[in-house]
Amino acid sequence: MLNSTSDEPAQELEIIKQQRRRVRDYAKVGLQLLAQRIVIYTVAVGLAGFYYDWLIAGAFYAIVVACEVYDLFVFRRIMKLRVWRSADLSRAMSHIYLGTVFSSFAVALFAISFALQQDPESGHFMPVFMLISASIFAAMNNHQFLLVLGIRLTIYVSAILLIPIYDIWITSAPITSEVWLHFFTVIFVLAFLVELARSFMGGYSEAQKSRSRLEEEHERTKAAFLAKNQFLSTISHELRTPLTSIKGALALVDSGALGELPEKARGPIKIADRNTHRLANLVDDLLLLQKADGGKLELTEEVFDLGELVIDATELFRPYAESAKVGIELKVKRDEFWVRGDQKKIVQVVTNLLSNAAKFSNGRGEILISVQRKGGHICLRVTDHGIGIPEGADRKVFEEFGQVDSTDTRKFQGTGLGLNISKRIIEAHGGHIYYESVLGKGSTFYVEMLDTARYP
């Protein structure tokens, strides 16, 4: 009982949401087709006036236009309303029902008056055609509400039937007369109208269900995304404090401040220290990723020499490159390539690209690093001669936690965050990062940033 009671407000809100959507769809279609309806009424009234009676035609035209003005007022109010309550929904539906009844009767009576001015033997093609067209129009555009469509079709169908029945009654025509043929033809057409209305209503209902399913899936995706961000943020912050303590303790032990370290212990301590730094870097990456996802990536911008930054970052990276048995060739000049941005984050991008190049060089060739001007941009280029990237892996390369080889037995380990974070950082600077690669021959990654020498 408690569960059902707690679910009632949510169910009521969902019903209001669905009804509001239907009301807005109805109003939107009504506004879109206003000019089309006015043109149709004008042509019909012109024909009725020219061939029969201008006074009657003009009177009904005034009534129809008045109904359209009323609907226009109602539809505009519906489209302007942003916050919906049950009372607003009830009021809107009342206006829709009222407009439906009046406009349907106006069109039906106009067609009937048209038919009464014709010879019963004529078949009343024009008025019957008008009513059938109005019915088709309603089936196509008023399928949002069964009752609204039911009201219109009931009035139009009654008028359509009334015309041949009245002809049969006043002429006392035998069953062999064409007057009866007109009646049977009308019955046949009405069956088609009913099927048409049912088809449109079924299609709209199915579309609404699909729309609701998509919205529910979107809400679940949003919830999962928020849960992931919250989890990453919580875990990262919880890991940072103990990792800092572990790093400090290992550095203290390694320095000899706590006494001479036995030779056999130096190796494990070095390994522990190196892995602790790796884990700390991973935590920092996760925190940066979480900030980027939340739109809170903070940049400390200043104008700096990109060439000098790349040279310094490369020199710091050389020991790692040597351990990976990869050489580095620098083609970078100082005091020539100036950009605006956050130096620390750009250093992280350069380090990520160098690390990626060294890892996938597979112990062969050299990493070539250059900085050049390209149009109005400064272009950093990092080239390796490693395993390369297969075609069609563009999205995977820069994907969060992405690995081109994501199997459990992959040769090259890593979190897959480096290039994703680099992409986020460069795009936050208004730059662009991309790559070119030939499988088995190597890859080149490009980073383009605005040239502040030309655009200060």
Side-chain angles (χ1 to χ4, degrees), residues 364-432:
R364 70 185 188 214
E366 285 188 327
I367 300 173
L368 174 62
I369 307 160
S370 64
V371 178
Q372 299 172 335
R373 279 194 170 83
K374 184 180 179 182
H377 293 80
I378 301 297
C379 180
L380 164 66
R381 185 168 63 181
V382 179
T383 301
D384 65 68
H385 300 88
I387 63 173
I389 301 170
E391 291 185 12
D394 304 55
R395 185 176 178 183
K396 195 78 172 177
V397 167
F398 293 105
E399 190 178 43
E400 187 178 306
F401 299 104
Q403 294 274 1
V404 174
D405 177 11
S406 58
T407 63
D408 294 336
T409 58
R410 66 177 185 265
K411 181 178 179 181
F412 303 100
Q413 299 301 312
T415 62
L417 286 176
L419 290 177
N420 178 267
I421 288 175
S422 298
K423 185 174 187 291
R424 291 170 184 262
I425 291 174
I426 294 302
E427 289 181 349
H429 282 79
H432 183 44

Side-chain angles (χ1 to χ4, degrees), residues 94-378:
S94 297
H95 286 304
I96 288 174
Y97 290 141
L98 189 62
T100 299
V101 171
F102 280 132
S103 61
S104 300
F105 267 116
V107 172
L109 291 176
F110 174 55
I112 290 172
S113 69
F114 201 158
L116 290 176
Q117 298 174 72
Q118 295 178 322
D119 187 334
E121 298 289 338
S122 67
H124 307 297
F125 174 81
M126 185 63 183
V128 172
F129 177 76
M130 285 174 53
L131 289 170
I132 291 175
S133 299
S135 300
I136 295 174
F137 198 85
M140 292 173 61
N141 302 297
N142 295 161
H143 47 260
Q144 294 86 358
F145 298 103
L146 178 60
L147 185 55
V148 170
L149 180 58
I151 290 172
R152 285 198 183 277
L153 290 183
T154 298
I155 294 173
Y156 293 154
V157 168
S158 299
I160 292 171
L161 289 172
L162 179 63
I163 292 172
I165 290 174
Y166 178 76
D167 289 342
I168 292 171
W169 179 64
I170 63 171
T171 60
S172 300
I175 193 70
T176 55
S177 170
E178 285 194 2
V179 175
W180 278 95
L181 177 61
H182 297 157
F183 173 72
F184 292 132
T185 303
V186 165
I187 296 295
F188 176 78
V189 172
L190 290 182
F192 163 75
L193 283 177
V194 171
E195 180 59 25
L196 184 67
R198 189 192 66 79
S199 177
F200 273 103
M201 285 210 67
Y204 180 77
S205 296
E206 189 58 37
Q208 288 296 97
K209 289 178 182 177
S210 298
R211 189 171 171 182
S212 296
R213 286 194 294 269
L214 285 174
E215 288 181 350
E216 289 173 4
E217 186 63 31
H218 178 64
E219 290 300 319
R220 284 195 293 270
T221 302
K222 281 173 58 180
F225 180 76
L226 292 173
K228 183 208 75 173
N229 279 352
Q230 186 175 3
F231 172 77
L232 289 177
S233 178
T234 302
I235 293 298
S236 301
H237 282 97
E238 289 297 322
L239 285 174
R240 174 173 272 188
T241 301
L243 274 175
T244 302
S245 301
I246 294 170
K247 282 171 61 181
L250 288 172
L252 197 62
V253 170
D254 191 44
S255 68
L258 300 179
E260 189 64 27
L261 195 64
E263 191 63 33
K264 290 184 178 180
R266 291 188 182 278
I269 290 294
K270 291 287 186 184
I271 294 172
D273 183 60
R274 185 165 60 249
N275 286 325
T276 302
H277 278 82
R278 286 179 60 190
L279 190 56
N281 290 335
L282 174 59
V283 170
D284 290 339
D285 285 347
L286 289 174
L287 285 172
L288 190 147
L289 186 67
Q290 188 264 334
K291 288 180 179 179
D293 283 338
K296 299 177 181 178
L297 185 59
E298 298 175 356
L299 300 176
T300 304
E301 291 195 352
E302 57 182 319
V303 176
F304 61 90
D305 180 3
L306 181 62
E308 183 176 2
L309 182 146
V310 171
I311 291 171
D312 293 344
T314 302
E315 291 306 317
L316 289 173
F317 184 76
R318 280 191 187 277
Y320 180 88
E322 291 172 0
S323 68
K325 300 178 181 179
V326 179
I328 295 179
E329 183 182 354
L330 263 174
K331 291 186 177 180
V332 181
K333 296 180 180 179
R334 298 179 189 267
D335 300 321
E336 187 172 337
F337 306 105
W338 296 86
V339 296
R340 179 184 295 276
D342 189 317
Q343 288 197 62
K344 289 184 178 179
K345 289 186 171 56
I346 298 301
V347 166
Q348 185 175 359
V349 171
V350 175
T351 303
N352 284 340
L353 292 178
L354 290 172
S355 176
N356 193 69
K359 181 167 63 173
F360 292 103
S361 287
N362 204 18
R364 70 185 188 214
E366 285 188 327
I367 300 173
L368 174 62
I369 307 160
S370 64
V371 178
Q372 299 172 335
R373 279 194 170 83
K374 184 180 179 182
H377 293 80
I378 301 297

Side-chain angles (χ1 to χ4, degrees), residues 79-95:
M79 296 304 294
K80 287 180 180 178
L81 196 60
R82 291 292 175 262
V83 180
W84 287 75
R85 297 166 298 180
S86 297
D88 298 318
L89 195 58
S90 299
R91 191 180 303 112
M93 290 306 304
S94 297
H95 286 304

